[in-house]
Amino acid sequence: MPLYLVGENIDKDRAHYLTETGRGVQLMRGIYIDAEDDIEATVLRHAVRIAHYLYPHAYLSAASAMLLAPTRDGRLFLSGRRKQRTRIRSLEIIQNEAPPHPSVARAVVGDDMGEFHVSVSAIRQRFLEAFRLRSEHAASIDDTMRESIADRLIEEYGSSQGAADAVFALARENKWSKEAEQAERFLRRAPAVAPVTNQAALDLIVAWHGVPIGHLVHDGFEWRWRSTDLGGPALVRQTTPGRLPPFIEALLPEGWLNRVLKNPDERTELRTGKRYMSNITIVERMEDLAKLPADILSTPLDAYKKDGIFTGTYAGPGRGHLEHSFEQNLAAIFARGETPRLSGVQIKAPMFLDADGTLTPSTDTPFTHILKPAGTSGFEALPAVEWQSMELGRAAGFTVPSIALIRMPDDMPTALLVERFDIRTSKDEKLRLALEDMSSVLDVPAAEKYTGTFERIGAALRPLSTDPDADLLLLLKRAVFAWLIADGDMHLKNMAVLKIAAPGSQTFSSVRMAPLYDAVTTRVFPNLKHDHMALKLSGKDERLKRADFRRFAVTVGISAAAANAAMDELAAGLQRGLTDLVLPAPLTDSSIGDKRAAQMRDIVHGRLTDFE
């Protein structure tokens, strides 16, 4: 037995023997406990039994009469012959003086020693106790308890007036007139006014592939995440109390789109936006979910491209007849909450490619492709350089989504179209996919995406990946590739893991490094001639040599032989890519795209030579 009460389950001699041999601890006269037990927990677990043993003529009152247990802070309320307090470790027994004519009932209490009967305040007296002035017992009965007792009395006596009369009858016997007046006022009160709430508070439903997985709650002060998909894999995690979960934060707009939306904070963005990457929708009402289209790739880009050029019909925004800027027209599309939001600093637009090859903004349609228009102020060649970077990545052995250069209307520079790889490819497909970038994996705010290291990514990737050895080797190759093409923008948000869960699974069946995306040579653009690596490797972000990558490989647990073979294979594939790459017209027409692409190839040739 964990608790010993002299005269009930132990005699005096046996209790004395327990303490003398060190096997028992005396809590107070007549009460003992095994020395090896958790004393605090045992006392609280048997609080009512201890009180009944010490004060057999007292009865449970106030909150304890309702709970039949101590309050969460360890207080147990009694009424008896006199006022007194008894503290036993973390339990405090608070006894007040009982009225002269109490109304008492019997209740059954159970603990791990069995069940027993105790006396408790009856319903009418319990209600009067709630209105005693300057009483700790009264303070223990909160508004919810008062409402519960009032409802119970009205149910028993048929009406508020009937309940008030019954309470008054008991009050007169005990001269509790003031308490009875307060109780009657409570019983006969007008219908409760709706409680005043903070209208800035949010309770947003987060759905994945259209199925709710939790609530994102903001009370006006901080965020709380409440998961409701207890049978599914843990996609969203709140790693820091009060802060937006990193997975959700990583989905929010940055840069140009953030300026266009003019949302003052993340609360406003999440209240107005509805569709995000990774098949995530965030709405205020359940009925809104059914109105949003599912992102399903029904028409692959390969069906409408030739020699690297999009051959379908572009039906997206242009400059327009009134000489509006392209950015203004694109911004107008994002004014609607149904338009999918994209993270990243670069201008991007969510698009839908239909079966006829028509490319339109995905406001009311699935989001299947990403349009990346040309920049301004010297970045007009960005789509051409990114196309070449991605195709060289394909030649180097990376998995790369389908891409194509797209001729834009109104004499605008060529844009780049990228196919999404994180969505389903048919309505019948049941796999659930999510793309989580490394800023989310490492719980690093988007504003600090350039502060990580490849070593930190490797340390996080090993326990996360379902094939860690292959993914760590791939991480090494990604680092080498970024160095060889002079990609100074491969930060934490430009690398990710692709998570896939089977229907009904509680875990992800596959967590692997995502395909290559957003790879681009930055050194060919204005003021970036001396651009360094975005993330450090072996403590360096410039003048990297093969030895630095070997050192990184050792750090993350890649054998020297595997690292050397991977680097040789990548370098050979990149060299073949430079030789065999068939360049589309925007890279051969003497345009700025042609010139920047040629500069890029020269840089890659030079770095490959130095890398031997």
Side-chain angles (χ1 to χ4, degrees), residues 21 40 53 94 110 197 210 224 249 282 326 328 411 432-433 447 463 473 477 504 512 518 528 539 572 585 592:
T21 57
E40 303 293 342
Y53 175 78
I94 304 169
T197 59
R224 294 193 308 278
E249 184 182 3
I282 301 177
F326 170 72
Q328 285 177 310
D411 297 321
R432 294 193 288 176
L433 301 91
L473 202 60
K477 295 170 73 173
R512 298 297 310 278
D518 286 357
L528 296 177
I592 187 67

Side-chain angles (χ1 to χ4, degrees), residues 378-379 483 485-488 521-533 541-543 596 599-600 602-603 607:
F379 287 85
W483 170 249
I485 70 166
D487 182 353
T521 299
T522 55
R523 285 206 170 196
V524 299
F525 296 106
N527 303 317
L528 296 177
K529 184 177 181 181
H530 303 292
D531 201 22
H532 290 193
M533 290 269 282
D541 60 6
E542 177 62 342
R543 304 179 195 277
R596 297 287 189 231
Q599 285 179 256
M600 173 190 167
D602 289 340
I603 290 172
R607 291 203 169 185

Side-chain angles (χ1 to χ4, degrees), residues 353-374:
L353 182 61
D354 68 16
D356 296 328
T358 302
L359 189 68
T360 55
S362 56
T363 299
D364 299 308
T365 52
F367 171 24
T368 61
H369 294 78
I370 301 172
L371 180 72
K372 305 177 84 170

